[in-house]
């Protein structure tokens, strides 16, 4: 399998066939596994082999297929699947940190990620320093000899700042800190995170991996030593396990992931270019636009701008008018979905941020995040232009 290209790994990676030799991966909807004898049960609890399972909170054949497939696709040694993206972020960080440790994090974070860094970790005695993630001099100043980990979203949600994975990793590795990257907006398709220096990569599988709005899921990827030695002991005892049924949805999602994400990113690029300079918009934010401050970094790091763009229509009132006038694009808060989705972050996903912080992040009241789906891009452009004519 290691010689296969990503596309082939996405379709065949990690397959475990039952005695029936099924084509489509089986859903092992079981929490437990029967032992041939008491001695076998004892032996398996002492040390479970590669293809031996004990309890679905620890592992399950369908979940394991998804873990092996996404690890192969990402180019990681191993993976642990979780019940949601947040279980993955929490598991990756909490499993490796203890009171007294120091963490440096980008300030521009998804609301729930910020909650973990700002409230959960600090409550247990971890010191967290926040920096402007796009500014390497701030990372350099904040990282100390005793820094244990750095954390950032490689593309921030919803202001779409691109963080230099190689640059931050170099600074972190100089003091032996672990680099944890939330890579949702880059997607596994455009990710080179591990090659660029990330030690641990985290995805919300709810987004592009399922990509069809059906199930929550997440995954932590890294070395075998980190996944099995650090992340798994914490995750398997604290209950963040992915359901076998959801793992099956994610396995099926992997088969079409690259086709979907490339088509969505192509449409997003087309729409961003068409909307750039529109008289009703004060800003069009998309890392694939030449006007984006990290355009070149994004090209080098991902080779594409991703599937999400943000537009600024000027005020909350105008943003609500715009959203309410959309016909095809849905008002919701998922992203990476086959259906295009528009979100007003200031009043929904990022509602809990204090106003001063929203301002510092450029998260203005007129900002609308649009996740581009698989619809015809001309239809989407017409829908957006029509809604803009209503504001
Ligand atoms: C959605 C999201 C998460 C959380 O994922 P869930 O599956 O909703 O728990 C974490 N980080 C980023 C960047 C996200 O967009």
């Amino acid at each position: 399998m290691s010689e296969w290209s990503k596309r082939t790994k996405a379709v065949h990676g990690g397959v475990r066939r039952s005695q029936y030799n099924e084509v489509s991966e089986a859903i092992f909807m079981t929490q437990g596994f029967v032992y041939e004898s008491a001695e076998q049960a004892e032996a398996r609890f002492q040390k479970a082999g590669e293809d031996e399972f004990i309890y679905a909170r620890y592992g399950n054949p369908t979940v394991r297929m998804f873990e092996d497939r996404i690890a192969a696709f990402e180019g990681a040694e191993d993976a642990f699947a979780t019940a949601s993206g947040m279980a993955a972020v929490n598991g990756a960080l909490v499993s490796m940190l203890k009171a007294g440790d120091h963490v440096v994090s980008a300030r521009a974070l998804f609301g729930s990620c910020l909650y973990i860094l700002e409230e959960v970790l600090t409550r247990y005695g971890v010191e967290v320093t926040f920096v402007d993630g796009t500014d390497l001099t701030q990372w350099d100043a904040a990282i100390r000899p005793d820094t244990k980990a750095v954390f950032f979203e490689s593309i921030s949600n919803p202001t779409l700042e691109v963080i230099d994975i190689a640059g931050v990793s170099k600074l972190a590795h100089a003091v032996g800190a672990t680099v944890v990257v939330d890579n949702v907006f880059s997607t596994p398709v455009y990710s080179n995170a591990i090659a660029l220096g990330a030690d641990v990569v985290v995805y919300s599988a709810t987004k592009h991996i399922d990509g069809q709005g059906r199930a929550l899921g997440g995954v932590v990827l890294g070395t075998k030593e980190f996944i099995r030695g650090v992340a798994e002991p914490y995750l398997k005892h604290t209950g963040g396990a992915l359901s076998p049924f959801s793992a099956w949805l994610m396995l099926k999602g992997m088969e079409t992931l690259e086709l979907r994400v490339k088509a969505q990113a192509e449409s997003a690029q087309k729409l961003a270019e068409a909307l750039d300079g529109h008289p009703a918009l004060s800003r069009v934010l998309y890392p694939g636009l030449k006007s984006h401050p990290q355009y070149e970094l994004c090209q080098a790091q991902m080779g594409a701008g991703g599937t999400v763009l943000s537009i600024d229509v000027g005020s909350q009132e105008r943003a609500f008018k715009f959203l309410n006038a959309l016909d095809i694009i849905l008002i919701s808060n998922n992203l990476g979905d086959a259906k295009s989705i528009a979100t007003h972050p200031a009043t929904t996903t990022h509602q809990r941020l204090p106003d001063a912080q929203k301002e510092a992040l450029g998260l203005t009241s007129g900002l609308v995040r649009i996740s581009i789906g698989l619809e015809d891009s001309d239809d989407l452009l017409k829908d957006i232009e029509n809604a803009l004519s209503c504001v």
Side-chain angles (χ1 to χ4, degrees):
M1 181 170 77
S2 61
E3 284 161 25
W4 292 349
S5 74
K6 279 179 91 163
R7 269 283 271 284
T8 307
K9 288 173 181 167
V11 177
H12 292 287
V15 165
R16 285 157 192 258
R17 290 204 167 85
S18 79
Q19 72 272 33
Y20 301 113
N21 259 333
E22 61 281 352
V23 171
S24 175
E25 295 76 2
I27 308 175
F28 290 94
M29 208 68 214
T30 179
Q31 53 65 31
F33 304 85
V34 178
Y35 312 101
E36 301 291 334
S37 65
E39 288 78 8
Q40 189 188 49
E42 182 189 27
R44 198 167 298 178
F45 268 81
Q46 271 168 1
K47 183 162 176 42
E50 265 290 293
D51 210 24
E52 295 175 345
F53 299 91
I54 295 169
Y55 189 55
R57 175 150 50 72
Y58 294 17
N60 167 287
T62 311
V63 175
R64 191 65 216 169
M65 283 193 265
F66 168 58
E67 290 169 342
D68 287 348
R69 183 168 294 180
I70 182 77
F73 193 78
E74 183 71 25
E77 282 178 20
D78 211 341
F80 196 95
T82 56
S84 70
M86 287 322 303
V89 172
N90 183 69
L93 291 170
V94 176
S95 66
M96 85 167 100
L97 295 169
K98 60 177 187 327
D101 282 343
H102 178 240
V103 174
V104 182
S105 170
R107 197 175 288 118
L109 294 180
F110 175 61
S112 300
C113 292
L114 188 67
Y115 177 81
I116 290 175
L117 271 298
E118 200 171 41
E119 302 203 24
V120 177
L121 293 182
T122 53
R123 197 190 299 159
Y124 292 98
V126 175
E127 186 191 345
V128 184
T129 306
F130 289 97
V131 297
D132 171 351
T134 61
D135 184 353
L136 280 179
T137 60
Q138 290 197 23
W139 285 102
D140 195 20
I143 292 171
R144 314 189 305 223
D146 66 333
T147 300
K148 187 80 187 294
V150 302
F151 179 78
F152 57 92
E153 295 171 11
S154 52
I155 298 188
S156 68
N157 173 9
T159 48
L160 307 175
E161 292 177 344
V162 184
I163 313 287
D164 181 352
I165 298 175
V168 176
S169 298
K170 200 164 162 230
L171 295 169
H173 290 159
V175 299
T178 302
V179 178
V180 184
V181 179
D182 179 334
N183 218 24
V184 167
F185 278 59
S186 299
T187 82
V189 173
Y190 296 120
S191 170
N192 297 299
I194 289 175
L196 292 169
D199 301 298
V200 180
V201 179
V202 176
Y203 289 105
S204 163
T206 317
K207 312 292 167 54
H208 303 83
I209 295 172
D210 174 24
Q212 288 146 91
R214 301 168 296 192
L216 288 169
V219 65
V220 186
L221 298 125
T223 60
K224 209 162 244 344
E225 191 187 348
F226 180 85
I227 295 300
R228 297 300 150 193
V230 179
E232 182 192 291
Y234 175 82
L235 283 162
K236 78 179 184 186
H237 292 302
T238 53
L242 182 65
S243 136
F245 182 71
S246 298
W248 178 78
L249 292 172
M250 301 309 173
L251 269 168
K252 294 284 121 189
M254 287 294 301
E255 293 179 354
T256 55
L257 177 67
E258 185 164 317
L259 290 176
R260 285 184 286 106
V261 166
K262 284 192 170 162
Q264 288 169 242
E266 209 172 286
S267 286
Q269 179 75 38
K270 241 164 103 178
L271 289 165
E273 283 171 13
L275 293 169
D276 199 20
H278 190 288
L281 298 175
S282 61
R283 291 187 294 170
V284 175
L285 300 176
Y286 183 66
L289 281 181
K290 291 210 168 79
S291 58
H292 189 280
Q294 290 102 34
Y295 169 77
E296 265 146 41
L297 172 64
C298 182
Q299 288 303 311
Q301 195 158 289
M302 290 167 59
T307 65
V308 180
L309 57 98
S310 291
I311 58 175
D312 197 329
V313 296
S315 69
Q316 180 177 323
E317 190 195 343
R318 286 163 60 87
F320 278 25
K321 270 194 191 149
F322 170 76
L323 289 167
N324 293 338
L326 288 168
D327 179 32
I328 300 169
I329 301 174
L330 308 173
I331 306 172
S332 190
N333 39 264
N334 192 19
L335 61 92
D337 199 274
K339 295 181 170 65
S340 291
I341 288 171
T343 312
H344 185 245
T347 54
T348 60
T349 52
H350 292 65
Q351 191 184 99
R352 57 177 296 279
L353 289 193
D355 286 345
Q357 207 160 333
K358 282 184 193 150
E359 198 169 314
L361 296 174
L363 209 168
T364 50
S365 58
L367 199 75
V368 176
R369 185 189 79 193
I370 308 176
S371 167
I372 304 302
L374 286 171
E375 304 92 338
D376 183 280
S377 60
D378 291 334
D379 288 348
L380 294 177
L381 183 59
K382 265 188 240 160
D383 196 25
I384 294 170
E385 282 177 337
N386 177 59
L388 285 175
S389 73
C390 300
V391 304

